Amino acid sequence: MKKFIFIMVLMSCFALMLSANYFTDNGLATSENTIMKKSDFVPTPRDRSMDPVRNPGSRNLLVEGFEGTTGMNLPTGWTKVGATGEQGWRTIENGESLPGVEDEWVSHDGVRALARGWQQSGSANWVFSSGFTLTAGSSIAISFWVQAPGYSSLGEWDDIEVKIGQTATAAGMASAPQVWSNVGTRIGDWTLITQSYTPTTAGTYYLAFHDLSATGTGIWLGIDDVFVGNEGPGIFLPPTNLTATGASMAVDLSWTAPAENGDNLAGYRIFRNNVAIVPDVSPTATTYHDSPLPNGVEVSYFVRAVYTMPAGVSDPTATVTATPVGGEFINNPPRNLTEISGDSKVTLSWQEPATHNGLLAGYQVYRNGALLTQIIATTGFTDVPLVNGVPYEYTVVAVYEFPAVTSAHTDPVVGTPEGSASGLHKPTNLTTPMTLPGSVTLSWDVPVYSSEGGTMMSHVTSEEWANAY
């Protein structure tokens, strides 16, 4: 009786473990260590820009963006089985078309990608990556961008699975672990997929992309920016040794490039007082001159490394501070303000301040002590329409963007428009373009406008007069 009870308890525990899914599937790690059915594999795009997930540089095992391919050729070391030509796996360039594709092709990044068109030859269409070496028990990160939008009028799309195995054949991959699948899920736009895998056996491995659509179904799909790399600390390595030195109205930064960055380093993103300075600086740069800055005000900085394929941003460097020192901030006013009075108008002109060490944004014009314009970038302005015979006083100030201040006013100038006292303007430029025996032809310009708002009833621009005898 005791043996019977003991056996029943063991069976109950075993059933409980099964119901709780206390297994992993072929080394594929999930966040909950549960068995993953094919129907569970759905796209899980995430913003990984600040989340370290993989290591660039010498730890890259496979990086393929398909940019070095031509025609429909696969990258070196990649192979495929199934349909050939446009119906099979092939590479494609932006602007090309695929059978069944509604719009011209656009890759995720760059100008080329891996693609599949209309499925006409069954589900035996595989493409295999070049090989990469894995160590037993050492986790790797796998990522790629995928798109399976289908054909909107038919409501169909391609189903795809991604596997990892040690044989680059359809038969060899049949029992290999599945990394991801979109079965039952349409992927309308490029989506980043990330997974991790821990091999139990050392050796050469391959990624396999398998179009699961049956003959005559599915429309098209795309794969781009495939990455396999070792996981571990120091993912998306940041710059090191950041220093900041105060200068006159400026701070000079210096840093050391990440020890391992391979070809993936796209640049550096510098943050001043926790706000990014735009644009990012070149991946070859290790210094930055930040100016103009106000003297005597402490400024903080940190720097992140920006990576591409896979895309991501490193952790920040340690924060450093510096205080610009040196001469006083110079925000001189504009120079040599002059005016030319005309008919119902005054035209102003001036020159840039003789010296300044701030970021000059433009100028503001004042008339009779009141602001007349918002910031303008030019060194001239015409005030129109004005009342003839009335004097107007003008000054101009320089506006600085950083620091945000304005200069003193220029010395004032006074302009007095001149023209018809009545405001009814006369014709101008009277000429005699043609004189013939017995006749004279006159020509003139129409008045431009009336400062009093009058309306010209009629006009002519030429007249020919001849003698009557």
Side-chain angles (χ1 to χ4, degrees):
M1 183 65 179
K2 291 181 178 179
K3 290 183 178 179
F4 176 77
I5 294 174
F6 180 74
I7 292 172
M8 292 295 293
V9 171
L10 286 177
M11 292 177 66
S12 298
C13 291
F14 184 68
L16 178 62
M17 291 174 67
L18 284 177
S19 64
N21 292 328
Y22 274 75
F23 298 109
T24 59
D25 182 17
N26 296 309
L28 279 174
T30 68
S31 60
E32 298 179 355
N33 290 326
T34 59
I35 294 177
M36 297 289 285
K37 304 184 295 295
K38 185 164 74 172
S39 61
D40 293 329
F41 286 94
V42 296
T44 55
R46 294 192 290 169
D47 179 7
R48 306 304 294 264
S49 62
M50 298 297 180
D51 183 12
V53 292
R54 46 199 153 298
N55 201 340
S58 62
R59 300 186 186 186
N60 289 344
L61 302 174
L62 173 65
V63 177
E64 186 55 68
F66 308 99
E67 296 302 312
T69 59
T70 58
M72 295 188 290
N73 299 320
L74 297 178
T76 301
W78 286 59
T79 58
K80 68 178 180 179
V81 296
T84 60
E86 291 187 341
Q87 302 299 329
W89 285 102
R90 46 79 59 95
T91 55
I92 189 171
E93 187 165 336
N94 289 352
E96 292 186 47
S97 60
L98 279 172
V101 178
E102 293 180 280
D103 301 310
E104 291 184 342
W105 179 267
V106 178
S107 64
H108 161 253
D109 184 39
V111 296
R112 297 188 67 82
L114 183 68
R116 274 279 291 121
W118 178 264
Q119 176 67 292
Q120 292 184 341
S121 57
S123 57
N125 287 283
W126 295 75
V127 63
F128 307 100
S129 74
S130 55
F132 47 89
T133 302
L134 299 185
T135 302
S138 179
S139 296
I140 61 167
I142 301 171
S143 73
F144 53 91
W145 289 81
V146 62
Q147 185 180 33
Y151 201 74
S152 59
S153 61
L154 298 179
E156 295 180 0
W157 60 85
D158 278 83
D159 289 332
I160 181 176
E161 66 174 347
V162 181
K163 290 193 165 190
I164 185 168
Q166 293 187 267
T167 306
T169 64
M173 286 291 180
S175 59
Q178 188 187 65
V179 175
W180 172 85
S181 174
N182 74 316
V183 172
T185 303
R186 176 181 177 269
I187 307 176
D189 201 356
W190 285 107
T191 300
L192 175 63
I193 305 301
T194 61
Q195 294 288 340
S196 62
Y197 174 70
T198 304
T200 58
T201 304
T204 301
Y205 282 77
Y206 307 86
L207 281 185
F209 298 88
H210 181 202
D211 189 345
L212 295 170
S213 302
T215 302
T217 63
I219 302 302
W220 65 282
L221 57 87
I223 299 292
D224 205 357
D225 294 337
V226 180
F227 172 86
V228 177
N230 290 329
E231 291 192 318
I235 313 302
F236 285 142
L237 297 178
T240 57
N241 303 323
L242 176 65
T243 62
T245 304
S248 178
M249 303 296 295
V251 170
D252 290 310
L253 302 177
S254 176
W255 61 87
T256 302
E260 297 178 358
N261 56 58
D263 297 326
N264 298 336
L265 183 62
Y268 297 97
R269 188 162 300 159
I270 300 171
F271 291 77
R272 180 206 303 132
N273 294 338
N274 296 316
V275 178
I277 298 174
V278 178
D280 295 344
V281 300
S282 165
T284 61
T286 55
T287 61
Y288 183 77
H289 181 75
D290 189 19
S291 68
L293 300 171
N295 284 328
V297 179
E298 185 178 78
V299 191
S300 67
Y301 297 90
F302 62 83
V303 180
R304 295 179 183 266
V306 181
Y307 292 92
T308 182
M309 207 181 78
V313 182
S314 75
D315 289 336
T317 61
T319 299
V320 297
T321 60
T323 301
V325 295
E328 296 181 356
F329 173 56
I330 302 173
N331 61 338
N332 286 328
R335 298 174 294 148
N336 301 326
L337 175 63
T338 61
E339 63 82 25
I340 298 178
S341 298
D343 193 359
S344 300
K345 64 182 180 180
V346 172
T347 299
L348 305 174
S349 62
W350 59 89
Q351 294 177 307
E352 184 176 315
T355 56
H356 64 87
N357 52 14
L359 182 58
L360 185 62
Y363 306 92
Q364 290 177 329
V365 179
Y366 286 76
R367 181 178 66 196
N368 296 336
L371 180 64
L372 180 61
T373 70
Q374 296 301 315
I375 298 174
I376 57 176
T378 60
T379 56
F381 178 76
T382 298
D383 189 15
V384 64
L386 298 173
V387 178
N388 286 328
V390 176
Y392 298 89
E393 182 182 88
Y394 298 91
T395 59
V396 179
V397 300
V399 181
Y400 294 89
E401 183 176 341
F402 193 89
V405 296
T406 57
S407 72
H409 288 252
T410 61
D411 291 334
V413 296
V414 177
T416 303
E418 298 176 353
S420 171
S422 66
L424 303 178
H425 293 202
K426 60 187 177 183
T428 57
N429 300 325
L430 176 64
T431 61
T432 57
M434 183 181 300
T435 302
L436 296 174
S439 68
V440 174
T441 299
L442 304 178
S443 178
W444 58 88
D445 291 339
V446 177
V448 177
Y449 55 81
S450 170
S451 62
E452 298 298 328
T455 300
M456 185 163 50
M457 299 301 294
S458 62
H459 71 276
V460 293
T461 57
S462 66
E463 186 71 39
E464 181 175 340
W465 293 86
N467 57 27
Y469 53 89

